[in-house]
């Protein structure tokens, strides 16, 4: 059997993380203790983690043609991510810029997106990459772009994974498409609850029973852990891994990368969640938007990719 290939569909961004003692109230002020600039974006973070973990991975997105974007794409390529399906928009001034205030006291963050004029029209090479992938992962991106990519998945054996976001939930049409085409859903507790309210289901188990293509729902609960709901089995809870909390930014994406890693290796849903918790703990302890890459190396060295 050939090595499974993953396509990650989602943004690549320029992040600026501002570490503050506490997120201020309205009309108040917070002093910045430290500032870190790094690559971000929900698609790019997952692709980077998977590439570093040794999974054949492509990033499918659009990017500007400036020095920052080029350096990020080179960084991804050096970490085993295929960037040939990244559409370069020469007319765009820059990537999306994201300013994130990370609070030590609340152990949470608040983000502000600066707009970009990047054109997210799909190109033929992207559609081919998606259609030839064994696993296709969808994260926050322009909905029309995702719809085009999702419609190109023709192989019934392809695993389609969605990371639920409030942006997706704003469109009933996209929610319907997402549920009809996805096999795996990943989301935090608030996002999962919002999805259930929108579609009128009382529980993830009811959602699984109603949409026969859905196999598993992973509902994360921050530093508590995650619930795993699968067809024909009782819900299971996996505790989070202990970690020194530096920043919660990107932890959900790191968790998703861990789940995808397990799926690519044919693991059970519980085993996927246990590994995902390890990857998420590495992210929480990282000073950047993505997990510490050396720590990912040590995770594979210590476990051989096994638990």
């Amino acid at each position: 059997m050939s090595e499974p290939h993953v396509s990650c569909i989602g943004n690549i961004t320029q992040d600026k993380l501002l570490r503050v003692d506490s997120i201020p109230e309205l009309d108040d002020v917070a002093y910045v203790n430290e500032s870190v600039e790094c690559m971000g974006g929900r698609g790019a973070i997952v692709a980077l983690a998977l590439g570093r973990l040794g999974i054949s991975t492509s990033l499918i997105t659009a990017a500007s043609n400036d020095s920052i974007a080029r350096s990020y794409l080179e960084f991804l390529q050096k970490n085993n991510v295929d960037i040939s399906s990244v559409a370069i928009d020469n007319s765009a001034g820059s990537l999306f810029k994201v300013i994130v205030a990370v609070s030590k006291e609340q152990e949470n963050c608040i983000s502000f997106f600066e707009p970009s004029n990047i054109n997210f029209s799909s190109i033929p090479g992207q559609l081919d990459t998606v259609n030839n992938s064994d696993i296709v992962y969808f994260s926050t991106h322009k909905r029309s772009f995702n719809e085009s990519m999702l419609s190109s998945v023709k192989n019934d054996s392809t695993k389609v994974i969605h990371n639920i976001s409030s942006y997706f939930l704003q469109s009933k049409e996209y929610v319907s498409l997402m549920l009809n085409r996805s096999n795996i859903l990943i989301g935090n507790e608030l996002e999962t609850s919002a999805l259930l309210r929108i579609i009128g289901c009382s529980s993830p188990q009811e959602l699984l029973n109603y949409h026969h293509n859905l196999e598993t729902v992973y509902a994360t609960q921050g530093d508590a852990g995650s619930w795993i709901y699968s067809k024909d089995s009782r819900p299971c809870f996996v505790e989070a891994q202990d970690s020194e909390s530096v920043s919660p930014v990107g932890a959900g994406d790191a968790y998703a990368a861990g789940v995808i890693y397990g799926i690519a290796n044919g693991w059970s849903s519980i085993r996927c969640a246990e590994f995902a918790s390890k990857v998420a703990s590495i992210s929480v302890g990282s000073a950047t938007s993505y997990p510490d890459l050396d720590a990912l190396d040590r995770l594979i060295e210590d476990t051989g990719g096994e638990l």
Side-chain angles (χ1 to χ4, degrees):
M1 180 180 176
S2 60
E3 179 184 5
H5 186 80
V6 179
S7 281
C8 290
I9 299 168
N11 281 326
I12 178 171
T13 62
Q14 180 182 350
D15 287 4
K16 187 171 185 177
L17 310 183
L18 308 177
R19 306 199 187 286
V20 299
D21 289 333
S22 179
I23 295 173
E25 300 290 338
L26 289 177
D27 202 30
D28 202 355
V29 173
Y31 290 95
V32 177
N33 300 318
E34 183 184 7
S35 175
V36 176
E37 293 194 11
C38 62
M39 184 198 76
R42 302 192 72 175
I45 291 172
V46 173
L48 173 64
L50 288 172
R52 190 72 176 212
L53 289 168
I55 299 296
S56 175
T57 305
S58 294
L59 175 63
I60 299 180
T61 190
S64 52
N65 190 17
D66 60 287
S67 60
I68 295 293
R70 290 193 295 271
S71 67
Y72 289 171
L73 292 175
E74 182 180 351
F75 174 58
L76 288 166
Q77 194 170 36
K78 285 182 177 179
N79 284 281
N80 310 313
V81 178
D82 183 355
I83 60 170
S84 62
S85 291
V86 176
I88 303 300
D89 184 355
N90 292 309
S91 66
S94 68
L95 295 171
F96 285 99
K97 295 179 181 179
V98 186
I99 300 172
V100 187
V102 182
S103 165
K104 180 179 180 181
E105 179 181 322
Q106 289 110 332
E107 295 187 351
N108 212 325
C109 60
I110 184 169
S111 303
F112 302 90
F113 273 71
E114 295 185 19
S116 170
N117 62 339
I118 296 174
N119 177 23
F120 286 104
S121 297
S122 61
I123 58 176
Q126 293 173 328
L127 298 174
D128 291 341
T129 300
V130 168
N131 198 35
N132 291 324
S133 295
D134 303 283
I135 300 170
V136 184
Y137 171 75
F138 290 87
S139 61
T140 303
H141 214 297
K142 188 173 183 179
R143 286 191 296 262
S144 60
F145 184 92
N146 278 23
E147 288 169 3
S148 176
M149 295 296 117
L150 191 51
S151 299
S152 75
V153 179
K154 306 299 183 184
N155 192 336
D156 290 339
S157 65
T158 300
K159 292 289 184 186
V160 175
I161 304 172
H162 259 91
N163 197 323
I164 308 166
S165 73
S166 57
Y167 173 66
F168 290 157
L169 301 183
Q170 291 170 13
S171 168
K172 291 183 179 180
E173 291 77 12
Y174 193 86
V175 168
S176 178
L177 180 64
M178 176 178 72
L179 294 177
N180 287 330
R181 300 299 298 272
S182 297
N183 305 109
I184 311 290
L185 296 179
I186 304 172
N188 64 38
E189 188 176 17
L190 291 177
E191 292 162 340
T192 304
S193 296
L195 173 62
L196 294 176
R197 285 196 303 273
I198 288 170
I199 61 176
C201 285
S202 61
S203 68
Q205 210 69 49
E206 183 181 349
L207 175 65
L208 288 165
N209 293 335
Y210 187 75
H211 291 275
H212 301 295
N213 53 293
L214 284 176
E215 301 168 1
T216 310
V217 176
Y218 296 85
T220 62
Q221 296 184 329
D223 58 6
S226 56
W227 280 97
I228 300 88
Y229 303 87
S230 299
K231 286 187 182 296
D232 304 321
S233 63
R234 298 177 62 182
C236 295
F237 187 77
V238 172
E239 293 184 354
Q241 296 290 310
D242 290 334
S243 175
E244 179 183 357
S245 180
V246 175
S247 170
V249 180
D253 302 307
Y255 182 94
V259 169
I260 297 168
Y261 180 90
I263 291 171
N265 281 284
W267 294 354
S268 69
S269 57
I270 301 301
R271 197 174 175 193
C272 287
E274 291 171 344
F275 187 79
S277 294
K278 293 178 182 291
V279 181
S281 72
I282 291 174
S283 177
V284 170
S286 172
T288 60
S289 297
Y290 50 84
D292 181 278
L293 301 181
D294 292 335
L296 289 181
D297 293 343
R298 291 192 294 271
L299 175 62
I300 295 299
E301 290 171 1
D302 293 344
T303 65
E306 302 291 333
L307 296 179

